[in-house]
Amino acid sequence: MVVFSFFIFDRHCECIYLRQWLDATAAAAQPLSRPVTASSAATNTTSVAEKPAAGNKLSMAEQAKLVFGVIFSLRNMVKKLCGPDDSFLCYRTGQYKLHYYETITSLRFVMLTDIRTENLKSSLHQIYVNLYVEYVVKNPLSPVEHPGGEGVNNEMFELGIDSFVHLDFISWTLELDVVFTNDTPYEITLVGADTGLRIVVNVGYFSATNNKNSSSSSPSTPTFHHTSKMAKRPNIIVTGTPGTGKSTHCEMLAEATGLKHLSINQIAKDNNCYDAFDDELKSWTVDEDKLLDTIEDDVKKGGHIIDWHVCDVFPKSWIDLVVVLRTDNTILFDRLKARDYPDNKIEENIDAEIMQVILDEARDAYDQEIVIELRSDKVEEVESNVDRIAAWVEQWQKDNQESED
Ligand SMILES: Nc1ncnc2c1ncn2[C@@H]1O[C@H](COP(=O)(O)OP(=O)(O)OP(=O)(O)O)[C@@H](O)[C@H]1O
């Protein structure tokens, strides 16, 4: 992967960080001696960001404006054509590929790379979670807003971006130069640093076995047997009264951790796990036995985020953490009203939230120490909750890895 440039735009559409390593438009691009950053634009009146980039008629600041205009239009076009749930991910020209990631708080991360690079959505998300949130959002010296890029260009953030670009940690190739001398199978284990995914690859054995029955005298090729197994991964329930933000949290959490999001409402629908239709509440009641049978094999393997407003039906032995989301009644009322729920359904949900029905159910069904209650009133809380749960997942995996070894 070759990275040409990187931009961050804030929710006011201002470019708060820009950096260029190579000029995408120059055929024989040369690395710049120093990257161009928004910080240099903010501190230097003859800023390099204002100068045209080598081999390009546009200055970096002009490029940033152009890039923002393009992504803004494409993003809006995608939403208009395919609905609000669809999102713009990338586009490609003959010279470069533009990758796009937008956070729930409307921060926009844009990276220009060579055209062969795979989609970088999850890498940009990782930059957001592991670098931006860590070194900019949580930096006590950094302001809340970043006019002119203030607070974004700190040393740790820049170092992190550098290692991303130079170490190219998202794509790698393992090249083996091994002489196989006998029939002993060789095995290597690859462990994903972020995901904990463990792949055991039997890289094979020289072809004595392969060619036993072959009369061919040509040099034989090693045979490769691939097996894979997952390291242990936790199962998490994210529960709460309808409208508290379960799906919103689960989607972000799945992205941040690589765990699989199981939307129980969707699974029940897809597998017809229904008992009857409740006419009063205008909703189906779920056949819980059928539901559990449907998901049992998958969930028992670990690595799932179970998203449902009911939590106490899942056996204790399946579950490692229960997150109960809580929302202020008036905020919840507005969210449910926006869904056009009938009044009695809204009332029932608001009552359940006031009486903390789901929190009590969780505490009754599972050990107290694995049940946590998190606020979900504001958008910022989604991000901090997801960070917190993702950190828990990471620690859980380390602990369980260590105890396995
Ligand atoms: N912490 C939050 N701050 C602001 N808005 C939020 C928050 N959490 C969720 N929302 C918004 O509230 C609405 C409901 O969220 P969501 O669909 O995630 O809830 P849910 O608990 O999964 O609901 P259901 O159980 O009915 O599926 C969405 O429009 C979402 O964007």
Side-chain angles (χ1 to χ4, degrees):
M1 179 183 76
V2 181
V3 178
F4 298 139
S5 48
F6 177 53
F7 304 82
I8 305 176
F9 299 94
D10 70 5
R11 63 199 168 94
H12 308 296
C13 313
E14 185 184 348
C15 181
I16 55 171
Y17 189 78
L18 61 85
R19 198 142 168 211
Q20 185 183 50
W21 291 268
L22 289 172
D23 178 2
T25 60
Q30 294 296 318
L32 298 177
S33 54
R34 266 188 71 78
V36 181
T37 67
S39 55
S40 45
T43 55
N44 189 342
T45 46
T46 56
S47 160
V48 69
E50 297 300 333
K51 291 180 187 166
N56 192 326
K57 291 187 190 70
L58 297 176
S59 71
M60 280 299 290
E62 285 167 330
Q63 282 189 45
K65 279 188 198 148
L66 204 59
V67 164
F68 187 80
V70 171
I71 54 162
F72 193 72
S73 311
L74 285 172
R75 173 190 173 280
N76 289 352
M77 183 186 81
V78 167
K79 296 211 181 289
K80 273 197 184 129
L81 285 178
C82 304
D85 293 338
D86 200 5
S87 53
F88 158 60
L89 299 177
C90 62
Y91 76 76
R92 205 197 114 158
T93 71
Q95 308 248 19
Y96 70 91
K97 196 164 176 182
L98 180 148
H99 308 261
Y100 179 68
Y101 170 70
E102 182 174 336
T103 71
I104 198 166
T105 47
S106 299
L107 270 173
R108 288 138 179 151
F109 291 73
V110 178
M111 190 169 270
L112 268 65
T113 68
D114 68 304
I115 53 179
R116 290 185 309 271
T117 301
E118 298 287 320
N119 189 330
L120 290 185
K121 184 182 174 208
S122 63
S123 305
L124 292 177
H125 175 72
Q126 291 301 327
I127 288 179
Y128 167 59
V129 173
N130 295 323
L131 301 179
Y132 190 88
V133 172
E134 276 307 309
Y135 301 128
V136 178
V137 177
K138 292 186 186 168
N139 183 349
L141 301 176
S142 179
V144 179
E145 300 284 350
H146 307 283
E150 197 188 339
V152 182
N153 56 309
N154 67 66
E155 196 181 348
M156 294 306 287
F157 182 71
E158 301 229 297
L159 273 174
I161 295 291
D162 268 338
S163 38
F164 176 86
V165 171
H166 296 306
L167 296 180
D168 190 6
F169 66 73
I170 44 160
S171 76
W172 45 267
T173 315
L174 178 67
E175 289 178 11
L176 286 175
D177 184 12
V178 178
V179 179
F180 296 99
T181 52
N182 54 36
D183 282 354
T184 311
Y186 292 83
E187 199 175 83
I188 51 172
T189 304
L190 311 171
V191 182
D194 296 327
T195 58
L197 176 69
R198 177 174 278 235
I199 303 177
V200 180
V201 184
N202 180 338
V203 290
Y205 34 81
F206 202 54
S207 60
T209 320
N210 203 26
N211 280 359
K212 254 175 197 153
N213 301 321
S214 165
S215 58
S216 163
S217 58
S218 60
S220 47
T221 319
T223 52
F224 292 85
H225 304 274
H226 302 268
T227 53
S228 65
K229 65 181 180 196
M230 298 286 284
K232 262 186 97 182
R233 311 211 71 196
N235 284 323
I236 301 174
I237 299 178
V238 176
T239 188
T241 308
T244 48
K246 297 181 291 297
S247 311
T248 311
H249 278 76
C250 289
E251 276 162 24
M252 280 184 72
L253 192 57
E255 245 183 66
T257 59
L259 300 183
K260 189 170 175 200
H261 176 193
L262 290 188
S263 165
I264 297 296
N265 284 337
Q266 192 60 45
I267 290 170
K269 200 164 156 193
D270 293 346
N271 296 280
N272 198 18
C273 304
Y274 291 129
D275 267 338
F277 189 73
D278 184 329
D279 233 5
E280 226 176 283
L281 293 177
K282 302 277 174 260
S283 56
W284 288 89
T285 50
V286 170
D287 176 342
E288 289 171 359
D289 290 336
K290 189 166 177 198
L291 173 75
L292 292 183
D293 287 346
T294 306
I295 62 171
E296 177 170 8
D297 288 348
D298 275 345
V299 174
K300 275 182 165 173
K301 288 180 200 147
H304 292 86
I305 308 166
I306 299 173
D307 162 3
W308 206 25
H309 62 278
V310 180
C311 67
D312 54 359
V313 295
F314 305 102
K316 256 173 109 166
S317 60
W318 292 9
I319 305 301
D320 302 291
L321 181 72
V322 182
V323 177
V324 184
L325 298 177
R326 303 299 310 280
T327 300
D328 175 82
N329 312 320
T330 50
I331 297 174
L332 186 61
F333 179 88
D334 291 342
R335 288 187 198 161
L336 298 179
K337 196 76 187 161
R339 288 178 170 181
D340 285 334
Y341 273 12
D343 287 349
N344 58 341
K345 192 165 171 172
I346 296 180
E347 202 177 313
E348 182 164 313
N349 283 319
I350 297 290
D351 286 349
E353 187 60 9
I354 293 170
M355 303 296 289
Q356 62 173 53
V357 170
I358 293 179
L359 182 63
D360 288 345
E361 278 174 4
R363 286 179 175 154
D364 288 346
Y366 303 97
D367 295 337
Q368 294 273 336
E369 58 272 19
I370 71 159
V371 178
I372 57 167
E373 180 186 4
L374 295 177
R375 296 300 313 170
S376 174
D377 297 331
K378 301 183 217 138
V379 170
E380 305 82 80
E381 285 166 343
V382 181
E383 291 180 3
S384 57
N385 291 342
V386 168
D387 286 346
R388 194 172 152 193
I389 304 168
W392 177 91
V393 171
E394 207 177 312
Q395 190 56 48
W396 188 97
Q397 286 176 179
K398 275 189 198 142
D399 294 346
N400 284 271
Q401 191 59 51
E402 278 155 16
S403 59
E404 267 184 355
D405 291 345

